[in-house]
Every structure is written in structure tokens, then in C-alpha cells.
């Protein structure tokens, strides 16, 4: 089922949200408005918008915080693409849709913010391949990017990546891996703002900046440039 964009903007979550994220976007500006600006800037067609809208509607109903996280990752990712002079749309689509597989995860696990058990972690891991299967046949290039977003960390998953759906040519095939790495970077940046257990509510923007450098040693130069450009920020809203 494809939701209309008007219906999407009126959908309301049926259950209460979990713990929030520390805010680095101005909360007075709806994320949907920022996303619409991205669509206009990049000339995104109606078909892609309808696919994205449909998937995000399901995710928003399941867990509004994961939905908002996905919007921020897509928006910030596309800004990084512009900054680097590469096509920003794979990062926009990949960011928006990287967690759609979490619509299949038990809501109590999805909203848990502390005392994770091994069973909880195992319940989360399938979301990558679930999301990949949901996108396959609709947005194949995006599926190839998003399936990589947990592949650059300790205990990476999925352990076995799917075979490429297509060969887009040597340059484009290599770009998929780079887009996947950038998506992982933005995902970590936004997730580091989540109020996630004791002490995380007191985390500062500078704390998060240091976390970024420590977790992504091979991307320190890029991270520094993103902070200097204002795409990443240490400023937080109350």
C-alpha cells in the first residue's frame, strides 16, 4: 500500500514514545519541512517520494523516534554529499530508509534504551536484511547502500552481505561502498544524541564530537571538516 503524502503527514503514533534524542536541529522547524526542501533541491520525482513516504509511514507508526532519527540521517547525509561534491541522493534515500526494517522489530525491544540483553541485540540485527528485502525491486541502488550501514563497526552485521543486485559499472559499484560508509558515519552521529541510559542526558555536543573521533579513527579528517563546515555541530537545543 502506498500512502499519500497528505495522509503521511497526518498519521499519529498509537503508543507513547521512548526516551528522546538530544536536539541539534531547531525543534521549531518540522523535519518534514526540511525533507521537502531536500526533495525540491534535488528534483526528486513523485515515484520515489511515494515509495519513501509509504515506508516511513509504517516506521512512524511503529516508533516515532526511529522515524525522526531516519529523517535526520537522510537530511544530514544529503548535506554531506553536497559538501563532498558527490551525488547527495543516495545518502538522502539511504538515510531515510536505512532503518525501515525496524518496522518488523518488536516495539518493546525497539524502544528499550538500557539493560540490553544478548537476546535484545539478536532481535535488532535482522532489521538490516529485512529493510534490504523491503527495498529490493523498488530502489535497488538504495538497497545496496543501506545494507552496509552496520558493516563498518565492531561485531558488524549482517555477517554475509547479499550479492549485488546489479552491476552499475566500476565507478558506481565502488561508490556504493563509500556511500555505505558515509551512511554509517551519519547514523552513528545521530544515534550518539539519543538519551540512552544513565548520564547520557547530560552528554554535551563536545562529548559527542569526541565520541565521533574515537569511533571513526579512519575518518577523523572528514569528521573535523564536517564540524568546521557546520554540517555536524556541537550546539544543542534545550
Amino acid at each position: 500500500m502506498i500512502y499519500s503524502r497528505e495522509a503521511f503527514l497526518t498519521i499519529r503514533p498509537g503508543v507513547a514514545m521512548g526516551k528522546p534524542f538530544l536536539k541539534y536541529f531547531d525543534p521549531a522547524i518540522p523535519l518534514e519541512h526540511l525533507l521537502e526542501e531536500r526533495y525540491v533541491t534535488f528534483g526528486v520525482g513523485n515515484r520515489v517520494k511515494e515509495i519513501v513516504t509509504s515506508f516511513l509511514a509504517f516506521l512512524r507508526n511503529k516508533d516515532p523516534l526511529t522515524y525522526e532519527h531516519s529523517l535526520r540521517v537522510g537530511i544530514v547525509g544529503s548535506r554531506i554529499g553536497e559538501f563532498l561534491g558527490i551525488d547527495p541522493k543516495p545518502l538522502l534515500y539511504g538515510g531515510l530508509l536505512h532503518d525501515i526494517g525496524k518496522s518488523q522489530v518488536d516495539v518493546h525491544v525497539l524502544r528499550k534504551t538500557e539493560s540490553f540483553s544478548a537476546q535484545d541485540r539478536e532481535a535488532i540485527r535482522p532489521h538490516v536484511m529485512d529493510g534490504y528485502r523491503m527495498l529490493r525491486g523498488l530502489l535497488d541502488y538504495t538497497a545496496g547502500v543501506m545494507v552496509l550501514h552496520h558493516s563498518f563497526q565492531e561485531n558488524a552485521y549482517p555477517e554475509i552481505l547479499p550479492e549485488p543486485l546489479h552491476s552499475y559499472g566500476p565507478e558506481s559499484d565502488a561508490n556504493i561502498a563509500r556511500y555505505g560508509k558515509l551512511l554509517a558515519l551519519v547514523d552513528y552521529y545521530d544515534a550518539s544524541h539519543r538519551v540512552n541510559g544513565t548520564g547520557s542526558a547530560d552528554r554535551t555536543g563536545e562529548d559527542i564530537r569526541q565520541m565521533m573521533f574515537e569511533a571513526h579513527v579512519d575518518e577523523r579528517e572528514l569528521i573535523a571538516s564536517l564540524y568546521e563546515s557546520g554540517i555536524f555541530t556541537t550546539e544543542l537545543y534545550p
Side-chain angles (χ1 to χ4, degrees):
M1 175 179 181
I2 300 294
Y3 281 100
S4 71
R5 294 172 67 221
E6 291 77 12
F8 167 66
L9 293 175
T10 62
I11 289 173
R12 293 293 180 263
V15 288
M17 291 190 290
K19 293 184 179 179
F21 285 70
L22 301 171
K23 296 179 176 63
Y24 62 91
F25 272 121
D26 185 347
I29 303 175
L31 291 171
E32 291 85 358
H33 290 189
L34 297 177
L35 176 57
E36 186 63 30
E37 289 176 359
R38 300 279 84 188
Y39 284 157
V40 171
T41 298
F42 305 139
V44 177
N46 288 333
R47 175 183 174 272
V48 173
K49 285 190 282 190
E50 287 175 353
I51 292 170
V52 173
T53 294
S54 180
F55 282 128
L56 287 178
F58 288 115
L59 188 59
R60 184 180 183 183
N61 277 344
K62 187 64 172 280
D63 182 42
L65 289 180
T66 302
Y67 156 78
E68 292 174 355
H69 161 72
S70 298
L71 263 60
R72 290 192 298 270
V73 172
I75 292 166
V76 175
S78 70
R79 292 175 179 175
I80 291 176
E82 291 177 301
F83 177 75
L84 294 175
I86 60 178
D87 185 357
K89 287 189 284 189
L91 288 168
L92 176 66
Y93 305 154
L96 293 172
L97 299 174
H98 77 287
D99 271 349
I100 59 168
K102 287 185 177 178
S103 62
Q104 309 302 309
V105 176
D106 183 274
V107 70
H108 299 293
V109 174
L110 195 58
R111 297 181 183 183
K112 201 170 186 179
T113 56
E114 52 192 317
S115 302
F116 277 96
S117 66
Q119 185 177 5
D120 293 332
R121 292 187 178 89
E122 285 303 310
I124 289 286
R125 289 168 70 92
H127 84 272
V128 176
M129 285 304 300
D130 285 344
Y132 175 83
R133 285 186 284 267
M134 292 164 75
L135 288 178
R136 186 176 57 193
L138 292 171
L139 296 173
D140 285 355
Y141 196 91
T142 300
V145 172
M146 64 76 65
V147 79
L148 299 174
H149 77 276
H150 283 295
S151 295
F152 305 95
Q153 62 190 51
E154 188 176 354
N155 299 318
Y157 62 92
E159 295 180 3
I160 300 176
L161 290 168
E163 291 293 324
L165 293 167
H166 310 280
S167 177
Y168 300 93
E171 184 176 353
S172 292
D173 290 346
N175 284 343
I176 288 177
R178 181 54 174 159
Y179 282 127
K181 183 65 181 296
L182 291 169
L183 177 57
L185 188 71
V186 184
D187 184 31
Y188 185 90
Y189 170 73
D190 191 80
S192 296
H193 290 78
R194 186 162 188 171
V195 177
N196 217 19
T198 304
S200 58
D202 297 324
R203 188 178 292 157
T204 67
E206 184 57 37
D207 292 334
I208 293 169
R209 182 175 181 272
Q210 292 305 313
M211 290 168 61
M212 293 294 297
F213 283 126
E214 292 168 9
H216 301 276
V217 176
D218 59 333
E219 297 284 2
R220 284 186 170 182
E221 184 175 346
L222 173 59
I223 291 168
S225 296
L226 292 174
Y227 274 102
E228 289 170 5
S229 69
I231 295 173
F232 286 171
T233 180
T234 59
E235 298 296 322
L236 299 176
Y237 288 86

